[in-house]
Amino acid sequence: MSRIDVFVAPRPNATLIKAMTFVNRIVMLHGIPGLRDLLPFNRLAGLRGVANVRHIDFPEDDRQRLKACCGAGKATFITPNHPEFFTDWMIDKEVVSRVSPLAASWATHGVVNGLGRLMQKFWLANNLIAQIPGNSGAAKEHSVAWALKGHGVLLHPEGGVGWHANIVAPLLPGAVEMGLEALKRGRLTDPDFKVWIAPVIWKLAFTGNVEAALAKECAYVERSLKIERHAADSLPERVHRIYATLLSRDEAAYGLRSDERVSYDARQKDLLVELGRRLAELVSGGAGTLDSGELLRRSRRWLRENTDDTGSRKQVRTLADTIQRLRRVGPWASANPRITQEEIAEHLKRIRNDYCKGTLRDTIDRFVPQPAGPRRAHIRVPDPLGLHAYKGSVEAALVELHDRMQETITSTIAQLQAGGGFIFYANPFYHR
C-alpha cells in the first residue's frame, strides 16, 4: 500500500499554527497595504493577497455563537460550506483562529500526503487530517479523540468544491456520525457531556466591477478549449456558449444527437440519463432507476473490488467521471433570470478545473485559483445543532443542518443584494 493511502496522525505544532495564522491574514488574504493596489505589485499574488480577500465581515454575535460551543468539556465538529478551493483553507483557518485555534481540519489526501514527505510534515504540523477515499476509519477515530479533548474538528459536509456559493449541496454524514460516537464516549465519564455540530457559511462578494478581468479569463478558456467566440455575445452568453459546446462534444462522444434548440439543462438531463443507464449496466447489471449519486458510489465500490478487468474498469471510470463532471452544473444554474459577476466567476473556475488541463498555468490555477478582483468575505454562523439534545436520525440531522445553512446563505445574499452588493446580468441558462 502506498504512503498516500495510509493514515498518518497529525502532530500539531502550536507555534507553527500561530505563525501560519499570521501569514494567512497578511499574505494569503489581505495582502500588503500600500502595495496591493499599485502597479506592478498588484500583479503579484503574495503582495495583493493570494485569495484577494480584503475585508472579513464576521459579526461578533456570530463569532460568539460559534465560540460558545467550542472548548473543554464538549466536542465540536465545525462544518463550513465549501464554495471555493484554496480560499476554503484561508477562511476556515481565520474562523477557527478566532474560536478554537488548535482545531483539526480535514483535507484531501492529495494535499496532505501527496506533495512529498516535507510537505506532509508541514500539513500534519498544521493539524490537517488526510481524508483517504475508501479508508477513512483511522481519520474518523483520530477526529473523535481530538474532539473529545475540546479542540474541535473542522470538515466540509458538502465534500468536494462545487463552485456554487449560493447553494448548499446535499451533506455527507461524517460529521454527524463522528459526533454521535463522541457523544457516546463522552457520556461514559460525564452524563452531561455535550456534542455540537456547528455549521458555518461564507459568501464572497467582489468589492467592485470586475467584468474586464472576467472577460480576460473567459477569453483564455475559449482559446484553451478551442471554442469560437461570437462578437455579439455578452459575457454570460460567452460562458453559456462554452458549456453548450462542451455538452455537444460529450453528446457526440457517446453517439447522441445534439439539438441546440433545446435548453442546456434539458440536454444535460437527457445525457445524464443515458450515461447512467450505460454505467448501471456495467456495475449493477442494469439495476433499476438509481439516482446519480448512488450510482457513482456503487461505481467507486465496483472499481475498488474489480482490479483485474482492465477494459471494463476504463469504461466505468470514464462514464463515472463524465457523469460527475456534468452533475457539477446543477439545476441552480438555470433557476434565476439574473446572474451575478460572482456566479460568472464560479462558472469560469469550474470550467478551468474540469476541462483546462495539461499546462503549468492550468495546474497552478487548479490548486491556487486566482480571483478576478478584490473581495469581501461575509461569514455567518447558523444555530449549532446539539446532538446531546437531538433525538432524530442521522438523515434527519443532515436535513436540519442543510436547512440551517441554506437559510443563512439565502438571507445573507438577500441582505447584500438589498445593499447593492451585486452586479447583475441576464442569465442565459434561465428559461421559462
Side-chain angles (χ1 to χ4, degrees), residues 261-281:
R261 295 171 299 177
V262 179
S263 67
Y264 176 89
D265 57 334
R267 290 170 56 198
Q268 179 201 51
K269 181 179 179 180
D270 288 344
L271 180 56
L272 282 170
V273 168
E274 174 59 23
L275 298 186
R277 182 190 65 77
R278 298 185 190 187
L279 183 57
E281 288 181 354

Side-chain angles (χ1 to χ4, degrees), residues 2 40 65 75 159 180 211 258 265 301 391:
S2 64
R65 187 177 303 117
L180 291 172
E211 181 173 340
S258 179
D265 57 334
R301 185 166 60 246
K391 304 302 181 184

Side-chain angles (χ1 to χ4, degrees), residues 28 34 49 60 78 85 107 150 155 239 241 245 249 268 270-271 294 296 306 313 346 359 362 369 374 378 407:
M28 301 301 182
E60 182 62 16
I78 302 171
F85 192 74
L155 66 163
V239 173
R241 184 176 298 279
T245 302
R249 292 175 183 178
Q268 179 201 51
D270 288 344
L271 180 56
E294 177 59 28
L296 290 174
N306 295 267
R313 279 178 58 83
E346 290 168 354
T359 69
D362 291 329
H378 301 274
E407 288 170 4

Side-chain angles (χ1 to χ4, degrees), residues 24 39 53 60 120 125 144 158 208 237 248 267 276 294 306 317 337 339 343-344 363 384 397 409 431:
N24 176 65
L39 283 170
V53 177
E60 182 62 16
Q120 182 195 55
V144 171
E158 291 179 277
E237 288 168 341
S248 295
R267 290 170 56 198
E294 177 59 28
N306 295 267
R317 189 179 299 280
I339 188 172
E343 290 171 297
I344 293 171
T363 300
I409 288 176
H431 59 91

Side-chain angles (χ1 to χ4, degrees), residues 293-356:
E294 177 59 28
L295 182 57
L296 290 174
R297 284 189 287 274
R298 292 197 183 191
S299 301
R300 288 191 289 268
R301 185 166 60 246
W302 186 94
L303 287 167
R304 290 195 298 268
E305 295 172 352
N306 295 267
T307 58
D308 298 328
D309 190 348
T310 305
S312 294
R313 279 178 58 83
K314 183 177 180 180
Q315 293 181 61
V316 169
R317 189 179 299 280
T318 300
L319 281 166
D321 288 348
T322 304
I323 290 172
Q324 184 165 313
R325 173 166 44 78
L326 288 169
R327 289 177 73 230
R328 282 160 59 76
V329 184
W332 41 263
S334 56
N336 299 308
R338 298 193 300 172
I339 188 172
T340 64
Q341 288 195 342
E342 288 76 9
E343 290 171 297
I344 293 171
E346 290 168 354
H347 275 308
L348 289 170
K349 291 304 184 188
R350 190 184 307 107
I351 293 169
R352 293 189 69 171
N353 181 83
D354 293 350
Y355 294 92
C356 297

Side-chain angles (χ1 to χ4, degrees), residues 17-55:
I17 290 172
K18 186 175 181 179
M20 281 302 297
T21 299
F22 175 79
V23 172
N24 176 65
R25 288 173 179 165
I26 300 299
V27 179
M28 301 301 182
L29 289 176
H30 306 307
I32 308 298
L35 296 179
R36 62 191 183 189
D37 294 315
L38 297 176
L39 283 170
F41 306 110
N42 61 0
R43 294 178 179 174
L44 301 176
L47 296 182
R48 69 162 184 262
V50 178
N52 214 347
V53 177
R54 299 295 182 83
H55 313 282

Side-chain angles (χ1 to χ4, degrees), residues 157-179:
E158 291 179 277
V161 173
W163 296 99
H164 45 70
N166 295 359
I167 299 296
V168 180
L171 305 185
L172 299 173
V176 174
E177 291 172 346
M178 288 187 288

